[in-house]
Amino acid sequence: MAITALGGAGGYGVGLLTAVDRSVAATGTAAPLGTVRPSTPSATPSPTSPPREIQPDNSPPLDTDELRYKTRSFEVEYVYKSQVSARVPSNWGMTRPDPPRTARFTDPTGKRWIRIEAGFTIQRAPAASMQARIADLNRLPKDQMVKYISQTVEGNYATLVYTYVPPASLAPVATLRYVIVRWVADDSGLCAVEMSSTGLPQDKEALMAVLDKAAASVVRRDSPLNSHQPN
């Protein structure tokens, strides 16, 4: 089973995946809020915290013209073992969680990153994945101050842009984050790769450039998760 990059409308690339069991819903962790999955709303509403005062980060914006890219490869394990590659900034360091369901590439300042996820079962269209993510974001506590900027579906992509403030437990200083999440479809029209580009509001043009480059070049090749194990 393999995904290869194909040319698409507007210069975009998509994935080609064949012979995949679609019995499990595609879920993702591309948002910078930890693992989020569609779920039944809790009978107990999320606690409401006092409003937090946003402290702007006036760092110079990420410069699109200074970005240099190279193809980076990694392996993720979820429902499938996916070999993934994409073009990302060459000097951004890679980290991976345990279990390795995603890869994250972070700039030297630690303030910008792109996260790429695969390995999930391909079951729903990018637009449906985007709406599921919005439902998850709508359940976050109000002190994370989620604000939607745009929602678009174009060709083989669905793209969600929003801002939010990380929870106080992770970031005592309330700094606004700018997030672009993109779901990339395979040849069936269903979501095969999920990625997000995150940084500061002043980085938005560069964050989109990084995301576009990764989405246009992403390659996913799958094998069964237990293929390396003896019978």
Side-chain angles (χ1 to χ4, degrees), residues 39-184:
S39 60
T40 302
S42 171
T44 303
S46 300
T48 300
S49 301
R52 299 169 67 196
E53 182 178 351
I54 294 177
Q55 302 293 326
D57 184 326
N58 296 318
S59 301
L62 189 62
D63 190 335
T64 303
D65 293 335
E66 293 183 356
L67 293 171
R68 299 294 181 267
Y69 297 87
K70 70 177 181 180
T71 299
R72 310 284 290 276
S73 300
F74 56 93
E75 185 177 275
V76 297
E77 296 183 3
Y78 197 178
V79 180
Y80 300 98
K81 179 188 290 184
S82 294
Q83 295 285 343
V84 183
S85 65
R87 291 187 65 77
V88 298
S90 58
N91 66 332
W92 289 19
M94 182 173 72
T95 56
R96 302 171 68 208
D98 184 15
R101 294 181 177 178
T102 67
R104 170 171 150 166
F105 300 89
T106 306
D107 88 319
T109 72
K111 296 180 179 181
R112 300 99 177 178
W113 59 84
I114 181 168
R115 180 182 287 126
I116 303 174
E117 179 185 2
F120 51 77
T121 300
I122 297 172
Q123 177 169 300
R124 63 189 180 194
S129 294
M130 179 171 66
Q131 292 306 313
R133 178 55 51 79
I134 291 171
D136 288 320
L137 292 171
N138 287 342
R139 287 191 286 267
L140 290 177
K142 292 187 181 299
D143 68 346
Q144 293 194 35
M145 293 181 261
V146 174
K147 179 180 179 180
Y148 300 110
I149 307 299
S150 65
Q151 305 170 41
T152 58
V153 178
E154 182 178 4
N156 299 291
Y157 297 158
T159 305
L160 173 66
V161 183
Y162 65 95
T163 58
Y164 86 110
V165 174
S169 59
L170 298 178
V173 177
T175 300
L176 198 66
R177 290 288 177 179
Y178 191 93
V179 187
I180 314 170
V181 188
R182 179 167 290 168
W183 293 266
V184 183

